[in-house]
């Protein structure tokens, strides 16, 4: 009997432990569901409200424009200072001409002439170097494209088809107007009366009569023929 009671107590204890574990698991799942639901509600509220409101967008846009304007101004100042520095290096500082005599002025002019000649020679050298490098870059690009098997389509100039058609139509219209303006000339208006009479006589006599000169000219021909036969 004692063994049966012990087994029954052990079974009850196990059932209680299982029920307790199940209850705890249910509570944990319930808490997780509540937390998940609360997070979803918060995310939905944030999505509805939105972080970037129109006012914030406007302020951000103004700040970006202000920053871009400042950067652009600094870049322009830097380029101007660099340009001025290069000009001073190449051209030098202006000379003081107050109280200068003729010899000093000649020396200054000579120095300026030498400086100008040097600047022009350097300019020509730089332009030649730029053209040479552009040519080399173009050749390298062509070689790279040949290796890749790609063909660069050249940039074509856009030509309007309607302009060509309009020009052809204008040309045809001009030719048509020129032909219509020409007057038809009747040949009979410029014929003389004597020509008309001659034409009528020629039409009446299709074969003209033999003249005396023709007959006289025929006898010597026959005589010559007889002489040749003899």
């Amino acid at each position: 009997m004692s063994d049966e009671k012990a087994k029954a107590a052990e079974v009850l204890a196990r059932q209680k432990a299982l029920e307790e574990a199940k209850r705890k698991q249910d509570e944990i799942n319930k808490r997780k569901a509540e937390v998940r639901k609360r997070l979803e509600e918060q995310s939905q509220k944030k999505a509805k409200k939105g972080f970037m409101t129109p006012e914030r967008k406007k302020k951000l846009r103004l700040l970006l424009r202000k920053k871009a304007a400042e950067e652009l101004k600094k870049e322009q100042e830097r380029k101007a200072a660099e340009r001025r520095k290069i000009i001073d290096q190449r051209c030098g500082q202006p000379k003081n001409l107050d109280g200068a005599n003729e010899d000093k002025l000649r020396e200054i002019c000579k120095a300026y002439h030498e400086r100008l000649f040097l600047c022009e020679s350097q300019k020509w050298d730089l332009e030649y170097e730029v053209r040479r490098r552009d040519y080399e870059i173009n050749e390298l690009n062509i070689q790279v494209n040949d290796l890749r098997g790609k063909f660069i389509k050249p940039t074509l100039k856009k030509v309007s088809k309607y302009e060509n058609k309009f020009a052809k139509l204008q040309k045809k219209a001009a030719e048509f107007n020129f032909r219509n303006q020409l007057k038809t000339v009747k040949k009979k208006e410029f014929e003389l009366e004597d020509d008309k009479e001659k034409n009528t006589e020629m039409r009446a006599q299709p074969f003209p009569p033999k003249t005396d000169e023709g007959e006289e000219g025929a006898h010597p021909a026959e005589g010559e023929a007889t002489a040749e036969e003899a």
Side-chain angles (χ1 to χ4, degrees):
M1 292 293 290
S2 60
D3 294 335
E4 291 178 357
K5 288 181 180 180
K7 287 180 180 180
E10 188 177 354
V11 170
L12 290 172
R14 286 179 181 177
Q15 288 179 355
K16 286 181 180 179
L18 290 172
E19 289 177 357
E20 187 69 21
K22 188 177 180 181
R23 185 178 61 79
K24 288 181 179 179
Q25 188 66 31
D26 292 338
E27 289 179 357
I28 291 169
N29 292 333
K30 188 176 180 181
R31 288 176 184 174
K32 286 182 179 180
E34 290 177 356
V35 171
R36 193 181 297 110
K37 186 177 180 181
R38 187 168 62 252
L39 291 173
E40 288 177 357
E41 289 177 355
Q42 289 178 0
S43 63
Q44 287 178 0
K45 287 180 180 179
K46 287 182 179 179
K48 288 180 181 178
K49 188 176 181 180
F51 177 74
M52 292 299 291
T53 59
E55 293 179 357
R56 288 181 179 178
K57 287 181 181 179
K58 188 175 180 181
K59 288 181 180 179
L60 182 61
R61 197 179 294 113
L62 291 173
L63 290 173
L64 289 173
R65 286 179 181 175
K66 188 176 179 181
K67 185 70 175 176
E70 290 177 357
E71 292 292 332
L72 184 62
K73 188 176 180 181
K74 288 180 181 179
E75 185 69 18
Q76 289 177 354
E77 290 177 355
R78 186 184 64 78
K79 286 183 178 180
E82 187 177 357
R83 182 173 178 273
R84 189 64 195 173
K85 183 180 178 182
I86 292 170
I87 290 171
D88 292 338
Q89 287 177 358
R90 292 184 178 179
C91 300
Q93 297 295 329
K95 303 290 184 181
N96 188 11
L97 302 178
D98 295 337
N101 55 6
E102 187 176 354
D103 295 335
K104 191 173 182 180
L105 290 174
R106 285 181 180 176
E107 290 178 0
I108 292 170
C109 291
K110 188 176 180 181
Y112 278 139
H113 182 268
E114 291 176 356
R115 174 71 70 176
L116 180 63
F117 182 77
L118 180 63
C119 290
E120 287 293 331
S121 61
Q122 289 177 355
K123 177 187 174 185
W124 190 87
D125 294 337
L126 290 172
E127 288 178 352
Y128 176 76
E129 187 69 20
V130 168
R131 288 197 299 270
R132 187 178 66 81
R133 291 191 179 183
D134 289 340
Y135 177 76
E136 290 178 356
I137 290 168
N138 190 19
E139 289 294 326
L140 291 173
N141 287 330
I142 291 170
Q143 291 178 6
V144 170
N145 291 323
D146 290 339
L147 291 173
R148 290 179 179 176
K150 292 183 180 180
F151 175 73
I152 298 176
K153 188 182 290 185
T155 56
L156 301 175
K157 186 179 179 182
K158 291 184 179 180
V159 180
S160 178
K161 296 180 180 179
Y162 298 101
E163 292 181 0
N164 296 333
K165 290 182 179 179
F166 187 67
K168 289 180 181 178
L169 290 173
Q170 282 185 340
K171 188 176 179 181
K172 288 182 179 179
E175 290 178 356
F176 183 73
N177 292 332
F178 180 72
R179 288 177 181 175
N180 289 337
Q181 288 175 2
L182 292 175
K183 294 181 180 179
T184 56
V185 179
K186 295 181 180 179
K187 295 181 180 180
K188 294 181 180 180
E189 293 180 359
F190 297 96
E191 289 183 355
L192 298 175
E193 294 180 357
D194 297 337
D195 295 336
K196 289 180 180 179
E197 292 177 357
K198 287 181 181 180
N199 290 330
T200 52
E201 289 177 359
M202 291 293 289
R203 288 173 184 172
Q205 297 179 1
F207 298 102
K210 293 182 180 180
T211 58
D212 296 336
E213 294 177 358
E215 291 177 356
E216 291 176 359
H219 293 294
E222 291 177 358
E224 290 175 1
T226 54
E228 288 176 359
E229 288 176 359

